[in-house]
Amino acid sequence: MAARKLIFPIIYLVLASFQQSKAALNTHYYDQTCPQAEKIISDAVLNASMHDPKVPARILRMFFHDCFIRGCDASVLLDSTPQDKAEKDGPPNISVRSFYVIDDAKAKLEMACPHTVSCSDIIAIAARDVVTMSGGPYWNVLKGRKDGRVSKASETRNLPAPIFNVTQLIQSFAKRGLGVKDLVALSGGHTIGFSHCSSFESRLRNFSSLHNIDPSMDTDFAQNLRTKCLKPNRDRNAGQFLDSTASTFDNNYYKQLLVGKGAFGSDQSLFGDSRTRWIVESFARDQSFFFREFVNSMVKLGDVGVIENGEVRLKCRVVN
């Protein structure tokens, strides 16, 4: 009971800061100072995506991983220094890629509107753009974030893990002021995701004392993953798309959960728990409903931990 009493003040403080930061952002922030900002970012993202189809999933994941640590402050972009190991070098972020896309957009913005557009706003706008260009919804991104000066690899342990159960996921999202529906909606970002075998192979062998393979997995799906991932000399890049229509942002991710074809244990658990199952089923039935809720949750996520006393970095990889 004492532990429960302690949780509520912590969540209240997070929610209070969320509400304060939300008021600091608006959709017209750069209308006068850099009206071409969104087009410059969109062009950079589109050009990169045309040359590398993995870019959309990577940019969306980058946004999630940035906002979940210190809030949306672009701390995930900072390079490590001899004195400090940064977030991007923390174990969960080793596979986060495509930082060059943000670097490219930032360089062009500095030529057009020097020292104006923050790196954290670039990530937020780019995340919206990769969703839209993949067939997903469009929304007006709230802008005006500032960039943080601190990035610690040790803090990446606070990211939700692919082995989390629903209780752990709910607790992780609640600490960011996000609810159960936000959890299920934002998990839908996996519709354009890919994972290496290391993130789910624990479900494929020696799962428990009773089951060699996670019993919540479809049998054929599990065998397919075993073929890919349990080879003695497997390709280090071996893995699985998290949705059978991985190049398209749609609701197929949820349809796969209904039939036991979620690669991550955390994803499949959303269908196995009564607190989240009804939302999974609703999104699987109605793509437009999923799109609306995803937009609402992305806007909320983009407000998490926004700081007003940060800086606008000249280069996203280093503090000014």
Side-chain angles (χ1 to χ4, degrees):
M1 180 63 71
R4 174 177 287 182
K5 289 181 179 178
L6 181 63
I7 289 172
F8 288 115
I10 293 174
I11 293 176
Y12 173 79
L13 289 173
V14 172
L15 286 171
S17 64
F18 159 72
Q19 291 165 350
Q20 291 168 2
S21 65
K22 183 176 181 180
L25 305 179
N26 68 80
T27 59
H28 302 290
Y29 191 82
Y30 297 114
D31 283 3
Q32 301 302 317
T33 57
C34 193
Q36 66 271 52
E38 293 207 28
K39 185 179 187 307
I40 290 173
I41 296 168
S42 179
D43 287 348
V45 171
L46 179 59
N47 180 63
S49 299
M50 290 173 63
H51 290 88
D52 182 357
K54 296 177 182 178
V55 163
R58 289 172 170 175
I59 295 296
L60 187 56
R61 185 169 179 239
M62 187 187 300
F63 176 67
F64 289 156
H65 282 221
D66 182 46
C67 294
F68 255 77
I69 300 301
R70 290 182 160 262
C72 308
D73 67 346
S75 54
V76 74
L77 301 180
L78 289 172
D79 285 340
S80 294
T81 67
Q83 295 76 34
D84 181 63
K85 188 175 180 181
E87 286 175 33
K88 64 170 56 173
D89 292 322
N93 283 340
I94 295 298
S95 58
V96 176
R97 296 285 185 270
S98 297
F99 294 109
Y100 71 90
V101 181
I102 308 300
D103 292 337
D104 180 49
K106 179 61 173 174
K108 290 180 170 62
L109 287 165
E110 284 302 311
M111 289 189 288
C113 322
H115 206 189
T116 301
V117 182
S118 67
C119 299
S120 46
D121 275 347
I122 296 174
I123 300 177
I125 294 167
R128 185 273 314 278
D129 288 343
V130 298
V131 169
T132 303
M133 70 176 57
S134 300
Y138 177 91
W139 65 95
N140 291 315
V141 176
L142 295 170
K143 298 172 282 290
R145 299 166 186 80
K146 293 296 185 288
D147 300 326
R149 301 181 180 91
V150 178
S151 182
K152 296 186 177 296
S154 59
E155 295 181 351
T156 60
R157 66 178 179 270
N158 296 319
L159 286 165
I163 60 171
F164 272 14
N165 59 37
V166 170
T167 296
Q168 292 170 309
L169 290 170
I170 289 174
Q171 291 172 346
S172 178
F173 276 66
K175 290 176 183 177
R176 281 85 181 171
L178 300 168
V180 176
K181 190 177 286 186
D182 299 313
L183 157 63
V184 182
L186 292 172
S187 295
H190 287 164
T191 183
I192 55 172
F194 176 88
S195 174
H196 293 104
C197 294
S198 57
S199 294
F200 56 80
E201 63 183 343
S202 62
R203 304 180 69 203
L204 304 177
R205 60 182 168 192
N206 303 321
F207 179 72
S208 70
S209 59
L210 297 177
H211 302 280
N212 186 38
I213 299 173
D214 184 344
S216 68
M217 298 183 81
D218 173 80
T219 303
D220 292 338
F221 180 66
Q223 188 54 52
N224 179 49
L225 295 185
R226 285 173 62 86
T227 301
K228 290 181 179 180
C229 296
L230 301 187
K231 296 178 181 178
N233 299 307
R234 78 176 186 214
D235 182 345
R236 65 185 181 88
N237 293 316
Q240 174 70 19
F241 287 104
L242 303 179
D243 183 333
S244 60
T245 57
S247 62
T248 303
F249 195 97
D250 56 20
N251 68 335
N252 195 56
Y253 159 83
Y254 299 103
K255 294 177 181 179
Q256 291 194 184
L257 298 185
L258 300 185
V259 293
K261 294 185 178 181
F264 290 161
S266 56
D267 284 344
Q268 194 58 54
S269 73
L270 297 176
F271 182 64
D273 191 293
S274 60
R275 291 170 291 181
T276 48
R277 181 186 301 118
W278 71 272
I279 309 175
V280 171
E281 292 173 335
S282 297
F283 289 165
R285 283 194 306 268
D286 188 344
Q287 180 168 279
S288 62
F289 178 46
F290 162 50
F291 280 7
R292 290 194 301 272
E293 294 301 327
F294 182 81
V295 166
N296 291 337
S297 296
M298 284 290 282
V299 172
K300 288 176 66 175
L301 177 60
D303 281 348
V304 171
V306 171
I307 56 176
E308 298 182 26
N309 61 346
E311 62 185 15
V312 175
R313 290 185 211 141
L314 299 179
K315 294 184 178 180
C316 292
R317 292 174 178 265
V318 293
V319 298
N320 292 340

